[in-house]
Amino acid sequence: MAWILSAAALLLIVVAGVVGLAVHGNELERAEQQRDTTYATRAVLLEPAPVEVGEGGWPVPTRALAAWTDRSGREHRGMVTVDGAQPAGAQVEVWVDDAGEITNRPPSAASAVVAGVAVAVGILCAGGTLLVATWLGARYLIGLVNDRRWEREWAAVEPQWRRNLL
């Protein structure tokens, strides 16, 4: 059982590494695609962005109406997220897609690394838990079998042993 579980643990490490690398590669590819289809531009606030305070007294991002121009020169208007208080007319950085619509900042290479490591660690934790549970279950069952064998052998030997001792 120990050899089988040791081999399974080595296989688990290899699988976690391969899957983690695959996730890292996919996330890097997705990030590059998003970087190709999105870009940063400056938006001008059309209204002041007030400071909103969340729980704990910390300021939280707010939304305000803004205008921006896309790569083709078309002007767009919409709500943008603003950090901190900003007066009307202030410029803020926004990320837009090819259609000029507001989108999220593309993920960085570091986020691809984090995703790959998180998946690999998750696989190791789940697989390790399964292997440890299997090991403990096997030890328990082997212990039960050994206890029953010991009781049967003792039942056969004990009467003769007692006679020789007394």
Side-chain angles (χ1 to χ4, degrees):
M1 181 59 78
W3 284 106
I4 291 171
L5 291 177
S6 295
L10 289 174
L11 182 63
L12 176 66
I13 291 169
V14 170
V15 167
V18 168
V19 172
L21 286 173
V23 167
H24 173 261
N26 287 342
E27 288 298 309
L28 267 181
E29 185 178 315
R30 189 173 67 86
E32 287 174 18
Q33 263 182 345
Q34 285 185 355
R35 274 193 291 275
D36 291 344
T37 60
T38 61
Y39 57 94
T41 189
R42 305 297 288 171
V44 177
L45 295 180
L46 301 175
E47 63 185 17
V51 172
E52 289 188 21
V53 179
E55 292 180 29
W58 296 100
V60 294
T62 59
R63 300 198 32 93
L65 184 64
W68 64 93
T69 306
D70 65 15
R71 286 181 178 163
S72 64
R74 284 190 332 205
E75 187 174 308
H76 298 270
R77 288 177 181 239
M79 300 299 283
V80 298
T81 302
V82 180
D83 290 324
Q86 298 283 337
Q91 291 188 1
V92 295
E93 181 181 71
V94 293
W95 285 84
V96 295
D97 58 18
D98 288 334
E101 299 298 320
I102 298 287
T103 187
N104 294 328
R105 173 188 300 264
S108 66
S111 67
V113 170
V114 169
V117 169
V119 167
V121 168
I123 290 172
L124 287 174
C125 288
T129 300
L130 182 62
L131 290 175
V132 167
T134 303
W135 174 252
L136 293 175
R139 283 180 47 113
Y140 177 74
L141 291 175
I142 290 169
L144 286 178
V145 169
N146 286 342
D147 285 346
R148 287 191 182 126
R149 282 185 183 164
W150 175 257
E151 287 174 8
R152 276 195 310 256
E153 287 179 23
W154 181 249
V157 170
E158 191 263 337
Q160 188 178 12
W161 177 79
R162 199 178 269 280
R163 236 181 288 133
N164 291 339
L165 185 66
L166 299 173

